[in-house]
């Protein structure tokens, strides 16, 4: 099974900051990686697919990059609405795995 | 417009079988490439992918749960059903169904909280 490791698990930042979340796969997944944002009590929202493609309607301050085993999600200038939990998700060999999540908190 | 909604019991006793239904609209599970998946989230914990069914009836399961899960579809009703046997309190979670687009899930249901308790 492919395991996904996100870091950090918690991140404190301020409005306007640039932040980066990292996701590492236990083996190469090419570019088969997605990022989601989840707010309390809500379903996850797809932000990025195939590692670097912005889902329609998602602000351009969200950027995904990486391939193989290491991936990053960068938010260029944090907005109040961005404080949430973020998950990566891989798709390999017809199976899916989510990372353990990164909670982005207001400093 | 794609929508999905989960339904099923809110409370299940240990050792029982849990049956959840995902009713969707805005797409067809007979269209090539389409899939519907189930994902769960225990309270305060991370998302966990459970199963997925494709338009061609191909089915995939989480290796850790595959012996307990069955996913089926009813294209005439636009529904996908997930059954989980022999539930335990650790199966207490919010269960989501979602539309698969490529390798990601782009539309999600609101989720349904299932509690396993005697």
């Amino acid at each position: 099974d492919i395991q996904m490791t996100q870091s950090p698990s918690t991140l404190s930042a301020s409005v306007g900051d640039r932040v980066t979340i990292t996701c590492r796969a236990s083996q190469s997944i090419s570019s088969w990686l997605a990022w989601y944002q989840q707010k309390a009590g809500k379903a996850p929202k797809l932000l990025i697919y195939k590692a670097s493609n912005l889902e329609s309607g998602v602000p351009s301050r969200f950027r995904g990059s990486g391939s193989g085993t290491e991936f990053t999600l960068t938010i260029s200038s944090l907005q109040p609405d961005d404080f949430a939990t973020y998950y990566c998700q891989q798709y390999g060999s017809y199976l899916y795995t989510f990372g353990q999540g990164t909670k982005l908190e207001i400093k | 417009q794609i929508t999905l909604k989960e339904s099923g019991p809110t409370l299940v006793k240990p050792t029982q079988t849990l049956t959840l239904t995902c009713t969707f609209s805005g797409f067809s599970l007979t269209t090539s490439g389409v899939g519907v998946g189930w994902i769960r989230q225990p309270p305060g914990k991370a998302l966990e992918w459970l199963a997925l069914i494709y338009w061609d009836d191909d089915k995939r399961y989480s290796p850790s749960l595959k012996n307990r899960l069955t996913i089926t579809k009813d294209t005439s009703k636009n529904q996908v059903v997930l059954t989980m046997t022999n539930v335990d309190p650790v199966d207490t979670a919010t269960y989501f169904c979602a539309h698969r687009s490529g390798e990601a899930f782009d539309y999600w249901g609101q989720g349904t909280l299932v509690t396993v308790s005697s």
Side-chain angles (χ1 to χ4, degrees):
Chain A
D1 303 358
I2 299 175
Q3 306 301 318
M4 305 302 293
T5 303
Q6 276 184 245
S7 60
S9 53
T10 306
L11 181 56
S12 296
S14 302
V15 173
D17 284 355
R18 174 187 175 98
V19 298
T20 297
I21 299 167
T22 298
C23 187
R24 289 186 173 88
S26 58
Q27 63 189 72
S28 177
I29 55 171
S30 184
S31 295
W32 298 115
L33 187 101
W35 290 98
Y36 299 85
Q37 176 193 70
Q38 187 181 32
K39 297 183 178 179
K42 300 292 186 181
K45 173 187 175 183
L46 178 63
L47 300 174
I48 303 284
Y49 62 95
K50 209 173 285 184
S52 60
N53 293 272
L54 197 65
E55 176 71 352
S56 177
V58 174
S60 59
R61 62 181 180 273
F62 291 90
R63 179 176 175 270
S65 64
S67 66
T69 62
E70 186 151 337
F71 302 85
T72 59
L73 173 69
T74 300
I75 310 173
S76 59
S77 178
L78 277 173
Q79 299 301 301
D81 191 51
D82 299 338
F83 292 95
T85 301
Y86 293 83
Y87 293 93
C88 62
Q89 170 247 304
Q90 68 84 25
Y91 169 69
S93 302
Y94 299 98
L95 302 177
Y96 297 78
T97 313
F98 287 90
Q100 79 274 25
T102 294
K103 185 174 183 179
L104 181 52
E105 299 179 329
I106 300 175
K107 185 185 286 184
Chain B
Q1 180 188 1
I2 290 177
T3 64
L4 305 96
K5 187 172 184 179
E6 307 85 355
S7 59
T10 58
L11 180 63
V12 184
K13 289 181 167 40
T15 76
Q16 289 186 336
T17 294
L18 170 65
T19 300
L20 296 170
T21 301
C22 176
T23 303
F24 57 85
S25 64
F27 67 95
S28 173
L29 248 182
T30 61
T31 302
S32 179
V34 173
V36 172
W38 284 94
I39 300 102
R40 72 178 179 180
Q41 185 172 39
K45 296 188 176 181
L47 300 165
E48 178 183 20
W49 173 72
L50 301 177
L52 188 137
I53 190 164
Y54 293 89
W55 81 101
D56 60 358
D57 210 38
D58 189 15
K59 302 165 187 178
R60 303 288 167 169
Y61 297 99
S62 166
S64 62
L65 289 165
K66 68 176 301 181
N67 291 336
R68 299 173 52 210
L69 297 175
T70 303
I71 190 169
T72 60
K73 61 181 172 70
D74 185 333
T75 53
S76 66
K77 294 182 179 178
N78 280 353
Q79 290 181 334
V80 171
V81 175
L82 181 75
T83 60
M84 177 183 289
T85 60
N86 193 28
V87 297
D88 181 89
V90 300
D91 296 313
T92 294
T94 296
Y95 287 75
F96 298 97
C97 62
H99 173 270
R100 167 197 174 267
S101 174
E103 83 291 355
F105 297 103
D106 57 350
Y107 292 91
W108 294 63
Q110 64 190 24
T112 185
L113 175 62
V114 178
T115 300
V116 181
S117 174
S118 56

